[in-house]
Amino acid sequence: MTMTEACVYSLARSLVVGLVAWPLCRVQTNWLRSLSDRRRAWAWWLVFLPFLCPELWTGYAWSGFAARLTGMGLWPSAAGTGTRQPLAILGRDALVDEVLLDLLLLFRAIPVGTLALYFAPPPRVSRAAWYCWQQATSPTARIMHTPVRTAGDQAGPAELSPRDTSTREQTGNPRYNRWRASLQFWLERQGARWPAWALMTLVTFQEFELASLLGRPAWTVWLFDAQVGGLALTESLRKTLLPVLCQATVLLPLMIWAFRQRASATTNACEPAPRHWYTSLVSWLAIGLGLLFLIGLPALHVGRDTWNGLWRVVQSPSQFRTLLSEIGAGLVYSLTAAGLTTFAVAILWRRAQSTRWGTISLCLCSGPGLIGPLVTGLALIRLLQEPGLRLIYKTPVSLLLGLVLWLLPRGFLLRALLQNSTPTQGSHLARLLSVAPAPRVRGAAGELLWKLRWRREFWGVVVLAYWAFFDLTTASLLAPVTIVSAPVMLYNQMHFGKNATLSALVLLTVLIPLGIFAVAGWSRRFLSVWLWR
């Protein structure tokens, strides 16, 4: 398969996944808006958990799924006649893996679309206005447009006066005008919702780890393998023109829509969510299936043969020390990149809310991350090979720069989510209490400030760091030669098959950072007491 064919295949897959996920996102948005503030905060974490799950973990657990079904005896595997011929068996396994990949991408895209729909500004045409227009243009209402007869008129067809005739000539075909106005009303009504589909399409189109580990074609897999295999950098950049063009056709209308919303400054209140009996059922079903396919079943599969592998890892001190050093190096880089991203997001977010140039800066800074880490990494390699920038190529600076550019759009999404899911009232009073002379009052003020502001900042940095830690593409392209992160090392070993030791290493790579973040969050209370005493 050529690069063009792989790009078209990925585009078709992303379009289908986005169209299927869009109505589910609308149902989940209505469900979230119908919840109370406290329940909505917990519901957001449940909705977003499938997207937070590392793709390396999910892809490793589901790799070789079609072959395992054959080993379970669900269908014959021997070559023979009819559907048992080798080519038919390969096609059947490819179809199973493709359906599985589409399901995994669907459950990963739903949180992104739900977030975009929930925080999208209300449409300029309300539901009531759209209903009135439908009633006004219905066939039963067209009697209002017929000429009115007077009492002195004789029977016969009504005739238009010269003034009415000129009016009809100016307005053109009434049926065409009604159709055009209805289309304009519908576009204004749906204009605030299509960016959700655009973001889901981008996320699905840029997928790399899942497609690679499941053995399915994608432009990211083709280009990454070609670059690692020795393809010239100029040729790799030339190959990225078609994927960038496909993504630009989605990104440019999205940015134009953002500018129009910024310029129009609509003040319509958010419409009340319609309540249906199936809203909660569909939402919980989507959340449950997403958690099952992306977290639950992979945990069962990876953890089933892990105990023997853990014992082997413990018996090999050198291997365990190597894993810990790789995890530690990856966490240092990811935490640094997450901190820098949070700082940049806070500045850009504040300026975007006050000035138009701030909105332009926000969109420009989000551009490199929105086109994917692979294209951004290749462009940075080319940029850092210029005479004045060669000193920072393949250094920690280049890796941090690539991670920050990739994390910026996700940081803006997290800022919108965390800022609206936690109330911020009372933070000024808490800051005033923090300078009180009594240590007990200062401690209570510090705890209140943590709950009102710093808790969401802390967990935002944690989520960004966890994403950066498992970013395989940027680490492979821009990391220093002497530093190999744990995800890169594990990805290279996953292509040689599964074994108990590798499953144990994958489980430790996922759980050790989570344990460190959990301990940091738990010890925060004792640290705050010491700081505010």
Side-chain angles (χ1 to χ4, degrees), residues 491-510:
Y491 175 78
N492 294 331
Q493 296 182 11
M494 287 176 183
H495 291 85
F496 298 99
K498 296 181 179 179
N499 54 71
T501 303
L502 183 57
S503 298
L505 294 176
V506 171
L507 185 64
L508 291 174
T509 304
V510 173

Side-chain angles (χ1 to χ4, degrees), residues 390-453:
R390 289 180 181 176
L391 294 177
I392 62 175
Y393 175 61
K394 284 291 185 178
T395 63
V397 177
S398 63
L399 177 58
L400 289 175
L401 181 60
L403 289 176
V404 169
L405 290 176
W406 178 69
L407 287 176
L408 276 176
R410 299 182 176 225
F412 292 130
L413 288 177
L414 280 179
R415 172 69 59 172
L417 174 61
L418 297 176
Q419 190 174 22
N420 288 272
S421 62
T422 306
T424 58
Q425 295 83 0
S427 58
H428 178 66
L429 295 177
R431 284 194 295 268
L432 294 178
L433 290 175
S434 63
V435 296
R440 187 173 181 180
V441 176
R442 290 199 303 268
E447 187 68 20
L448 185 60
L449 276 175
W450 165 260
K451 292 182 179 179
L452 292 178
R453 179 182 178 183

Side-chain angles (χ1 to χ4, degrees), residues 15 21 28 94 126 172 186-187 221 226 261 300 341 350 370 381 402 406 424 466 497 499 527 531:
L15 292 176
Q28 277 198 348
S126 64
W186 185 85
L187 290 176
V221 178
Q261 293 295 328
L300 290 177
T341 303
R350 184 170 58 253
L370 288 175
I381 291 176
W406 178 69
T424 58
Y466 203 62
N499 54 71
L527 182 62
L531 288 175

